[in-house]
Amino acid sequence: MMQKDNTSRLLPWFQGALLLGAVFFLAVAFVKPIGVSTQFVIFDAMIWDVVDPTVITEEPTAKSGYASTNAYLDKSGGKYAKNAAHPVNYSFIFVLAMAAGAFVSSRLGGDRPNAETRYMPDVWRSTMGPSSTRRLWAAFMGGFIVLFGARLAGGCTSGHMMSGMMQTAVSGYLFTAALFATAVLTAWVLYRKTEV
């Protein structure tokens, strides 16, 4: 049985880049700059508020109308506290839509590696070995470090790099330079013994 060729449905890289740039431009021009990592903080605050209802309270004197016993949630006049109390807003829905869009794209996209290769790429197996526990632990820790670093820097790649550079923010260019330098160095350290 012949395998169906789906490669014709894939966009060339430059068309994808132009489309992504257009989406960011429209978001910045008509709504607000795109940022994602803050929504993880909002999600955590939503759970925290369920466990401890005193963490977020209505506060008529605050700029947002909400206050929090947590200094981070309370900053900017309680903006994050308000977003956690009322999460159905542009930013939170945007993050959920990203996850839904990624799922749809994974189903409609072209040729994909088999499940085993997606789970453990050959470059990982040849460098780090076949342990699935090690692979899962590394993926979890990598995600944790990236998210922690994003919040420490005050924004993620979408907020600092893509939205920031589009607005010609110096911090966006500095963040991007540091990001790529760190990524190249990390890849070199982890995979320097791999033969390409």
Side-chain angles (χ1 to χ4, degrees):
M1 183 173 174
M2 273 183 85
Q3 187 176 8
K4 184 178 165 188
D5 182 14
N6 292 324
T7 54
S8 61
R9 292 192 289 175
L10 296 175
L11 285 176
W13 70 267
F14 61 89
Q15 288 180 357
L18 290 173
L19 186 59
L20 183 62
V23 168
F24 268 82
F25 176 79
L26 292 172
V28 169
F30 295 110
V31 186
K32 68 179 193 173
I34 291 174
V36 175
S37 62
T38 302
Q39 299 315 307
F40 288 96
V41 175
I42 301 302
F43 183 69
D44 292 345
M46 290 164 52
I47 295 171
W48 189 4
D49 189 43
V50 169
V51 174
D52 179 8
T54 64
V55 76
I56 297 173
T57 55
E58 289 189 42
E59 179 57 58
T61 60
K63 185 178 177 183
S64 68
Y66 285 83
S68 176
T69 54
N70 178 273
Y72 190 82
L73 297 175
D74 200 44
K75 73 180 190 175
S76 300
K79 179 177 78 171
Y80 293 157
K82 179 182 179 182
N83 287 343
H86 299 284
V88 181
N89 57 55
Y90 168 79
S91 297
F92 198 72
I93 299 301
F94 180 84
V95 172
L96 295 178
M98 280 177 49
F103 176 77
V104 170
S105 177
S106 75
R107 297 293 158 232
L108 299 178
D111 291 337
R112 297 181 299 155
N114 62 39
E116 185 179 337
T117 304
R118 283 196 315 264
Y119 178 71
M120 189 175 301
D122 293 336
V123 68
W124 173 273
R125 187 184 302 277
S126 66
T127 307
M128 306 295 177
S131 170
S132 58
T133 303
R134 186 174 187 183
R135 170 75 174 151
L136 291 172
W137 179 247
F140 174 80
M141 288 307 297
F144 178 83
I145 291 167
V146 166
L147 186 55
F148 181 81
R151 295 319 308 148
L152 190 64
C156 58
T157 51
S158 55
H160 268 317
M161 185 171 82
M162 300 174 84
S163 291
M165 289 177 66
M166 182 170 283
Q167 297 172 85
T168 64
V170 173
S171 63
Y173 291 99
L174 291 173
F175 177 86
T176 303
L179 178 84
F180 276 96
T182 304
V184 168
L185 180 62
T186 302
W188 182 80
V189 168
L190 288 177
Y191 300 114
R192 66 184 178 275
K193 295 177 185 174
T194 305
E195 291 183 18
V196 181

